[in-house]
Amino acid sequence: MSAEITAKLIVMDTGPLITLAAADSLDYLIYPALPVYVPDAVFYEATRDADMLGAQQVMDWAQKHAGEVHIVPTQAFANFLQDSAATPGRYREKDLGERAALEAIHDAVQLGPDERAILMTEDDRVLRQVLVTESELTKKMIPITTRDFLEGLEQAQRIQSVEAVYQRAEDAGRHATQRSVLVQQHDKAIEAVRSIMQSKDHGFER
């Protein structure tokens, strides 16, 4: 893998946002100095209830970093809002975030000729749908989990400890999955994050 990767980071589900928010570590997502994209339905699901763990932190973080964090509009979420207006009290829809994430990847987030999409998740169901077929688009995708991402930062010496992040999240009441993404992709995922970080000039975790 080359020493430097041009990429966009796409947060595929609420898991990474909630875990990092609970650990007071959302800024780690912007450490690689890549544009961060969050499908609108995923952002909605992470912030719709202000009393939900991490919701206010996610909202404040997105507003603070509006130039770096992009909420991706999708037709899936627009349809949900339209249907919700016609059905008062309707706040949820099955697989809404997943459908919005798939739409964002295929239609909303445009990649340049040599650009990669780093797909970050704590639930690999969406990734399995994305990667089920070989195509020019899927060849440009690097699937990672929150743990892959944090391990990449640790190996690049940008944070001190992955375990400390998960401990802070657990102390706040978040029992996050710590799975690595599709096993055959794990080393590639960590190497991608480490390579990106080595080409950037960022400080260590304080």
Side-chain angles (χ1 to χ4, degrees):
M1 181 171 293
S2 64
E4 185 168 355
I5 296 173
T6 302
K8 289 183 170 75
L9 175 62
I10 305 174
V11 181
M12 301 285 290
D13 59 67
T14 61
L17 296 174
I18 297 171
T19 296
L20 294 175
D24 195 25
S25 301
L26 279 168
D27 278 356
Y28 291 177
L29 288 173
I30 59 176
Y31 272 24
L34 301 177
V36 179
Y37 292 84
V38 183
D40 49 6
V42 173
F43 185 76
Y44 166 79
E45 289 178 341
T47 61
R48 67 172 178 262
D49 183 352
D51 294 330
M52 187 168 59
L53 179 65
Q56 191 60 53
Q57 292 95 319
V58 171
M59 189 172 294
D60 293 343
W61 170 77
Q63 292 175 348
K64 179 181 178 182
H65 298 286
E68 300 150 294
V69 179
H70 310 277
I71 309 304
V72 182
T74 65
Q75 190 60 50
F77 188 57
N79 292 342
F80 166 75
L81 292 178
Q82 184 176 5
D83 292 343
S84 296
T87 311
R90 182 167 178 257
Y91 301 111
R92 296 174 181 266
E93 182 173 301
K94 182 177 174 59
D95 299 331
L96 175 62
E98 293 179 17
R99 289 186 285 108
L102 289 170
E103 182 183 334
I105 293 168
H106 289 290
D107 301 320
V109 180
Q110 301 299 315
L111 299 177
D114 299 319
E115 199 168 31
R116 310 293 293 278
I118 298 177
L119 310 181
M120 188 173 180
T121 184
E122 281 186 13
D123 182 348
D124 63 15
R125 288 178 300 170
V126 179
L127 291 177
R128 291 182 186 280
Q129 292 181 59
V130 173
L131 301 174
V132 69
T133 58
E134 279 288 328
S135 69
E136 289 305 310
L137 182 59
T138 57
K139 290 175 183 177
K140 300 179 76 169
M141 296 177 182
I142 303 172
I144 67 173
T145 61
T146 308
R147 177 148 201 120
D148 294 326
F149 180 76
L150 292 171
E151 287 189 20
L153 294 185
E154 184 181 88
Q155 288 188 16
Q157 299 185 322
R158 281 355 190 224
I159 66 172
Q160 294 176 354
S161 169
V162 173
E163 302 309 326
V165 176
Y166 280 106
Q167 186 60 59
R168 291 197 301 270
E170 185 172 337
D171 291 344
R174 170 67 171 173
H175 299 283
T177 176
Q178 295 193 37
R179 284 190 303 174
S180 300
V181 79
L182 315 174
V183 174
Q184 67 271 24
Q185 297 282 352
H186 180 62
D187 291 341
K188 180 181 178 182
I190 294 176
E191 174 64 14
V193 177
R194 187 188 63 78
S195 297
I196 290 168
M197 292 308 305
Q198 285 187 335
S199 70
K200 310 294 181 182
D201 183 19
H202 287 279
F204 290 82
E205 176 187 8
R206 300 300 181 187

